[in-house]
Amino acid sequence: MNLDIAVNVLSDKETQLTVKVPVQTIQERVEARIRQTAKTARVDGFRKGKVPVSYIRAQYGAGIQQEVINDTIRDTVFDAIGEKKVRAVGVPSIDDVKLENDFLVYQATVETFPEVKIQGLSEIEVERQTATVSDADVDTMIENLQKQRQTFEIKEGELTDGDEATFDFEGSINGEKFEGGTAENYRLVIGSGRMIPGFEDGMKGMKAGEERTIQVTFPEDYQAENLKGKEADFKITVKEVKEPKLPELNEEFFELFGVKEGGLDKLKADVRKNMEREIKNAARNQIKQVTFDALVEKNEFDVPKAMLAQEVERQRNLMLQRFAQQFGANPNTFDKSMLPDELFEDQALRAVRLGVLVSQIVDNEKLVVDQDRVTAFIAEAAENYEDPAEVIEYYTNDKKERAGIEAVVLEDQVVEFILSKAKVTEKEVKYQDLLATAQQVQI
């Protein structure tokens, strides 16, 4: 369709297009729809398919013309945006629709993807954290694997950290019992931190069959309003004490982790390899986080409302999905009003600004995805699976999944470009500290 399009840039965030569509096109569509309606309309006094076109035109022509105009605007507005290469964001706002000099004329106002001038790259200062996996780290990890599969055996002695107690308790405040303060045959590993401060420490030294009353104070931020900051007495009766028993480092244990030959040395080698992979990913995420934080801090700008609204909605839906997974429910059953926009606006604003900045750097530097790095990324990820070849084939051939990995690799290339301009220092940290930092990362 031949369109006459005029572009008026209202600001760096908004563009207005004036679109002219030949009236002849509208008339042809109106006549075609009138004829089609005459074939299908049910009108008293006429058989179906025998309603005169003139009758339909007289009775319904104005309404049909308005429908055609609406459909034509819908069909042409995105063609106009594409033809003029306007980087539109959100849905266009249509106004000032009129018939003028053999044309249907309308105006479409759209928010546009902002173009920004990247600033302050040479002023960015970031700290790159590094870590190495020591023999002690590997031993600790294997011990953790043992603890994950530990069992408990009856113990005759006193309760200490790591022991499991089965007990009854009855809580009271000023001699009055309170809701949720009583339980029977409750099981607790001492030192797990599941109870309020002071509770588990107060049980230490008790034996099976012993009774004791302990005094504790509920935290000021406790979830139950009526218990915040209150002092309480808990009468505790220990019924059973068990101590942990770690599984032996034998062939049966090794086979749990796919080690059929090589024994403990092979298990340690596999564990070290996995830990080094974790360290590599953690370090990559840490430097990406601090680099992007610094980039956003140096480049503040207004963002289109549509982009911000879309990101707020995306983050809200992600949180609803997490709620649904946690409670085993359908995300649609949650009331979105319990998660107001204000809850997400700061994080969404950062995400939108970062997306714009990354896109601008890609355009400015003409960065393209390094396909060799994509292949290496897929191969490394596949090592975690039983059949790496199958995983590699899946991510290589599935366009959507591969595109996701390409986006990650391109982000890494953007980070490397920023770091080439920035001031970078390195700091050696402990394995666990780097992992903890990575777990807090939100890109």
Side-chain angles (χ1 to χ4, degrees):
M1 185 184 301
N2 293 325
L3 302 176
D4 185 345
I5 308 164
V7 178
N8 179 22
V9 178
L10 303 179
S11 70
D12 59 351
K13 301 190 296 294
E14 197 171 51
T15 296
Q16 186 180 76
L17 293 84
T18 300
V19 183
K20 294 183 178 181
V21 183
V23 165
Q24 181 180 354
T25 300
I26 305 297
Q27 292 172 337
E28 291 173 354
R29 291 186 173 187
V30 169
E31 286 302 312
R33 191 165 299 185
I34 287 175
R35 290 193 295 272
Q36 181 62 33
T37 302
K39 295 178 181 179
T40 59
R42 295 181 179 275
V43 178
D44 292 342
F46 298 97
R47 287 182 297 165
K48 182 180 178 180
K50 300 297 182 179
V51 182
V53 171
S54 58
Y55 180 88
I56 296 297
R57 184 180 294 110
Q59 295 295 318
Y60 306 108
I64 290 175
Q65 177 175 286
Q66 189 58 54
E67 288 178 2
V68 169
I69 288 174
N70 292 340
D71 291 348
T72 300
I73 292 173
R74 180 200 64 201
D75 294 341
T76 58
V77 65
F78 289 105
D79 290 341
I81 289 171
E83 184 174 326
K84 293 300 181 180
K85 296 181 171 58
V86 176
R87 300 179 73 186
V89 177
V91 179
S93 173
I94 307 297
D95 55 25
D96 200 18
V97 180
K98 56 190 175 183
L99 293 172
E100 182 182 84
N101 299 328
D102 297 328
F103 287 95
L104 166 68
V105 183
Y106 66 88
Q107 290 183 336
T109 304
V110 294
E111 288 190 295
T112 53
F113 194 90
E115 293 188 12
V116 297
K117 184 177 180 180
I118 306 295
Q119 301 182 23
L121 295 188
S122 62
E123 301 170 6
I124 288 178
E125 298 182 10
V126 296
E127 180 181 84
R128 185 199 303 270
Q129 294 185 2
T130 61
T132 56
V133 179
S134 67
D135 291 344
D137 290 327
V138 174
D139 291 340
T140 298
M141 180 60 69
I142 290 177
E143 185 177 345
N144 289 338
L145 295 176
Q146 288 178 279
K147 288 180 179 179
Q148 292 171 8
R149 290 157 180 80
Q150 71 183 6
T151 56
F152 288 91
E153 296 182 347
I154 294 294
K155 176 182 178 180
E156 299 298 333
E158 299 177 347
L159 268 174
T160 60
D161 277 334
D163 290 344
E164 182 185 75
T166 300
F167 59 100
D168 300 340
F169 64 86
E170 183 180 278
S172 62
I173 297 177
N174 296 326
E176 297 290 332
K177 296 180 182 180
F178 55 88
E179 184 177 356
T182 302
E184 293 182 353
N185 296 320
Y186 193 81
R187 294 172 64 185
L188 174 70
V189 175
I190 302 301
S192 63
R194 286 172 50 193
M195 308 299 281
I196 61 175
F199 193 102
E200 294 173 34
D201 284 341
M203 291 184 63
K204 290 179 181 178
M206 295 185 69
K207 299 180 180 180
E210 183 178 345
E211 290 186 3
R212 179 185 295 180
T213 298
I214 63 174
Q215 289 79 40
V216 296
T217 301
F218 282 93
E220 293 292 343
D221 59 353
Y222 195 68
Q223 61 267 30
E225 191 70 31
N226 62 316
L227 298 178
K228 289 182 176 180
K230 297 289 183 64
E231 292 185 358
D233 294 325
F234 281 91
K235 180 182 177 182
I236 299 171
T237 303
V238 175
K239 294 183 172 181
E240 187 177 65
V241 175
K242 290 184 176 182
E243 60 184 350
K245 181 181 180 182
L246 298 179
E248 294 182 11
L249 294 175
N250 53 24
E251 291 185 2
E252 182 180 355
F253 182 80
F254 301 147
E255 287 186 6
L256 292 174
F257 303 95
V259 175
K260 297 182 179 180
E261 295 181 359
L264 182 58
D265 288 342
K266 180 62 166 61
L267 177 62
K268 285 186 174 182
D270 289 350
V271 167
R272 181 183 292 276
K273 185 176 181 180
N274 288 333
M275 293 173 72
E276 289 174 344
R277 186 184 300 117
E278 284 184 318
I279 280 293
K280 181 179 178 180
N281 290 333
R284 171 179 157 273
N285 289 334
Q286 180 271 331
I287 193 62
K288 178 183 287 190
Q289 172 80 18
V290 296
T291 302
F292 280 166
D293 282 347
L295 176 66
V296 173
E297 183 180 344
K298 295 290 184 183
N299 293 270
E300 292 189 1
F301 54 91
D302 293 334
V303 302
K305 293 179 181 178
M307 292 182 72
L308 186 59
Q310 290 170 4
E311 180 61 22
V312 165
E313 186 64 16
R314 186 188 74 84
Q315 293 191 15
R316 180 173 22 239
N317 288 335
L318 285 175
M319 184 168 286
L320 288 173
Q321 289 174 10
R322 287 196 289 268
F323 285 165
Q325 291 173 355
Q326 182 178 353
F327 297 106
N330 187 322
N332 297 326
T333 62
F334 291 96
D335 182 2
K336 287 190 175 184
S337 65
M338 71 179 184
L339 299 173
D341 291 357
E342 294 78 13
L343 189 63
F344 306 96
E345 283 179 348
D346 289 345
Q347 189 174 337
L349 178 60
R350 177 194 179 278
V352 172
R353 281 178 175 165
L354 179 58
V356 171
L357 292 167
V358 169
S359 178
Q360 193 69 59
I361 290 174
V362 170
D363 288 346
N364 291 351
E365 304 306 318
K366 297 180 174 54
L367 298 178
V368 295
V369 179
D370 185 333
Q371 295 298 332
D372 289 340
R373 291 178 62 162
V374 172
T375 300
F377 191 102
I378 293 173
E380 186 173 328
E383 291 179 2
N384 292 321
Y385 296 86
E386 185 175 344
D387 188 348
E390 182 179 347
V391 176
I392 291 172
E393 182 180 2
Y394 172 70
Y395 280 98
T396 300
N397 298 327
D398 188 294
K399 292 182 179 180
K400 183 178 179 180
E401 295 295 341
R402 186 178 180 87
I405 292 176
E406 288 178 345
V408 172
V409 170
L410 187 58
E411 275 191 353
D412 289 343
Q413 292 176 237
V414 170
V415 170
E416 290 174 2
F417 168 76
I418 297 171
L419 293 177
S420 72
K421 307 293 182 182
K423 301 171 185 176
V424 184
T425 58
E426 294 197 359
K427 180 182 179 181
E428 180 79 15
V429 298
K430 294 180 179 179
Y431 165 80
Q432 292 294 346
D433 291 341
L434 183 50
L435 288 187
T437 300
Q439 289 173 356
Q440 299 170 5
V441 166
Q442 293 183 346
I443 299 298

